[in-house]
Amino acid sequence: MAKGAWVSRGAPRSERLDHHQHDGRQTSRTLDALAGAQGADIARGLKLDTTGHREAGGSLFFQTEPLDYALPTSLPQGKADNQILGVVEALRDKYAPREVVLVSKDINMRVKARALGLDAEDYQNDKVLEDGDLLYSGALALPADFWIKNGKSVESWQSGGSTYYRITGPAVPSLLVNQFAYFEAPGEQSLYARVTEIRDKTAVLQTLKDYGSAKNAVWGVNTRNREQNFAMNLLMDPEVDFVTLTGTAGTGKTLMALAAGLTQVLDDRRYTEIIMTRATVSVGEDIGFLPGTEEEKMGPWMGALDDNLEFLAKGDGGNAGEWGRAATNELIRSRIKIKSLNFMRGRTFLNKYVIIDEAQNLTPKQMKTLITRAGPGTKIVCMGNLAQIDTPYLTEGSSGLTFAVDKFKGWPHGGHITLARGERSRLADFASEVL
């Protein structure tokens, strides 16, 4: 290795792998293949290109003999993390002046290493984005001189209650299919539209349905701002199979997803039921062997669902239309199934409306496992707050939600919106600013 020796955070003993079943098994298989390759000598390091990965240029070394190191007495010797730090320190002294770097996804581990004067880096290869601010937001403000520059060349027509605009010019290369484009300027007519087609140097914009007006309420819910209206247009569009919503607490993600789901399950009969799951922080752990159904055990994680259902069942002042008035809480609940992520593998969902909440706590691999459950006629809504990641191994850049937003942007049957404004109360808004 040109730069120096990297020490990847692993276990001093192979037993550590047993606790991480899926990844552990794969790692064990890879290690077995490397050690079993012709001419492999574990004492001199195993060449990483022996299993067919020709681009892998380094070697894998194992700690096969005790190393002499002294850590501060405040760090207990028996703890695996501290043993690893000791190995890094011993290697640094042994191979000086060669650079030795600890690579770990564990934030706490990196902080500890730096406190001891050791070089530490995050694992970069799974990062979708280096900076969370660069994440696709799903909406683009058209420049203030948009109509002045493009007005004469815009072709427009009407179809099915929408107005379409075919635009050319400098704004087109930065647009993606299903991205929202909006134009707001004092004294001029506003435009809120979604990109439906991009061909050569032209883009087609379709005006939106206004879910902010009382006549377009969805299960008694009206959108209260621009981004919420963009999101509802995606949630209610049968041609969009995958929707991602990000935003801070109180931006209406769960409420809108549920309202759109109930309307399409109970009124339009487009889907047979709503399936709701969320990434509990202990995702991947068993939900326990105590008596109780899967649904009952998921209960403590589902407070957000109960709060929103209470609001929807009331119809926000009895304005929920015929179904809403007739529907009891029981009817709504009979069409909502709560599932644990742990039992998703091998399932296929047909004609279901699936809501994945707290998706920021999923790894890209878990996200793939969930999205690939979708059978024909199923819509998946993924939502989360990237500022509230509860696991020490994920960051905004490596979260499964970031991964999904980035990989699906521009796909004609997928859409994303970053919700900007909280709509809870003046108290909640003020608290989020000052606390």
Side-chain angles (χ1 to χ4, degrees), residues 140 142-143 145-146 149-150 153 167-175 201:
L140 182 76
L142 294 170
D145 59 1
F146 176 74
K149 280 192 176 173
N150 299 279
S153 60
I167 64 166
T168 55
V172 173
S174 56
L175 292 172
K201 292 178 181 173

Side-chain angles (χ1 to χ4, degrees), residues 27-44:
T27 306
S28 298
R29 279 195 286 268
T30 307
L31 291 174
D32 183 50
L34 287 169
Q38 197 173 358
D41 180 354
I42 206 163
R44 289 189 309 177

Side-chain angles (χ1 to χ4, degrees), residues 9-299:
R9 183 205 169 181
R13 300 173 213 89
S14 62
E15 290 92 50
R16 178 114 170 218
L17 292 174
D18 295 340
H19 297 298
H20 302 278
Q21 288 183 356
H22 304 301
D23 295 334
R25 279 198 288 269
Q26 183 57 51
T27 306
S28 298
R29 279 195 286 268
T30 307
L31 291 174
D32 183 50
L34 287 169
Q38 197 173 358
D41 180 354
I42 206 163
R44 289 189 309 177
L46 305 173
K47 289 201 174 300
L48 291 171
D49 61 2
T50 50
T51 53
H53 294 283
R54 295 277 165 243
E55 68 282 3
S59 296
L60 176 67
F61 292 85
F62 288 84
Q63 182 205 338
T64 54
E65 56 191 40
L67 292 168
D68 189 29
Y69 60 84
L71 286 176
T73 50
S74 55
L75 294 176
Q77 292 291 321
K79 205 161 183 283
D81 283 7
N82 298 338
Q83 285 178 268
I84 295 163
L85 291 169
V87 170
V88 177
E89 190 166 272
L91 289 174
R92 186 184 63 175
D93 296 342
K94 185 176 175 182
Y95 292 103
R98 200 172 183 192
E99 191 178 6
V100 175
V101 182
L102 170 75
V103 178
S104 172
K105 284 181 68 63
D106 187 337
I107 298 165
N108 303 329
M109 181 80 161
R110 295 200 301 270
V111 170
K112 242 198 264 189
R114 291 190 185 111
L116 293 170
L118 304 170
D119 286 339
E121 284 181 14
D122 191 5
Y123 176 67
Q124 301 293 336
N125 202 35
D126 64 347
K127 276 207 168 71
V128 182
L129 289 176
E130 208 48 60
D131 183 355
D133 294 339
L134 300 175
L135 185 64
Y136 172 62
S137 72
L140 182 76
L142 294 170
D145 59 1
F146 176 74
W147 288 121
I148 299 164
K149 280 192 176 173
N150 299 279
K152 292 189 176 69
S153 60
V154 170
E155 177 193 341
S156 71
W157 67 96
Q158 293 195 315
S159 170
S162 289
T163 305
Y164 291 82
Y165 298 94
R166 189 183 300 281
I167 64 166
T168 55
V172 173
S174 56
L175 292 172
L176 292 162
V177 173
N178 278 344
Q179 186 173 14
F180 292 89
Y182 61 93
F183 175 81
E184 291 173 334
E188 294 195 54
Q189 189 178 351
S190 298
L191 169 70
Y192 302 100
R194 177 160 49 141
V195 180
T196 57
E197 178 192 318
I198 292 175
R199 191 179 298 166
D200 300 328
K201 292 178 181 173
T202 66
V204 175
L205 303 178
Q206 176 188 1
T207 54
L208 306 177
K209 188 168 182 179
D210 179 15
Y211 288 102
S213 84
K215 71 175 193 293
N216 290 332
V218 177
W219 204 268
V221 172
N222 281 114
T223 55
R224 292 189 179 183
N225 60 48
R226 182 179 63 215
E227 283 79 16
Q228 282 190 353
N229 195 50
F230 293 165
M232 195 62 93
N233 273 271
L234 291 172
L235 292 168
M236 294 297 290
D237 186 344
E239 287 301 306
V240 177
D241 303 332
F242 183 67
V243 178
T244 47
L245 301 176
T246 58
T248 55
T251 45
K253 302 183 293 290
T254 310
L255 184 68
M256 288 194 297
L258 273 173
L262 288 169
T263 296
Q264 292 172 93
V265 167
L266 293 169
D267 289 359
D268 308 340
R269 307 288 175 92
R270 190 173 291 150
Y271 309 103
T272 55
E273 64 184 358
I274 295 173
I275 289 178
M276 188 145 185
T277 185
R278 71 181 279 178
T280 55
V281 180
S282 54
V283 65
E285 304 294 330
D286 270 333
I287 51 174
F289 298 102
L290 292 170
T293 62
E294 181 183 359
E295 203 140 320
E296 285 166 350
K297 288 179 185 184
M298 287 297 287

Side-chain angles (χ1 to χ4, degrees), residues 355-376:
I355 299 173
I356 304 169
D357 202 1
E358 303 291 348
Q360 77 275 5
N361 288 325
L362 294 170
T363 66
K365 201 169 175 185
Q366 287 167 331
M367 184 64 89
K368 182 180 178 179
T369 301
L370 283 175
I371 299 171
T372 51
R373 302 302 97 221

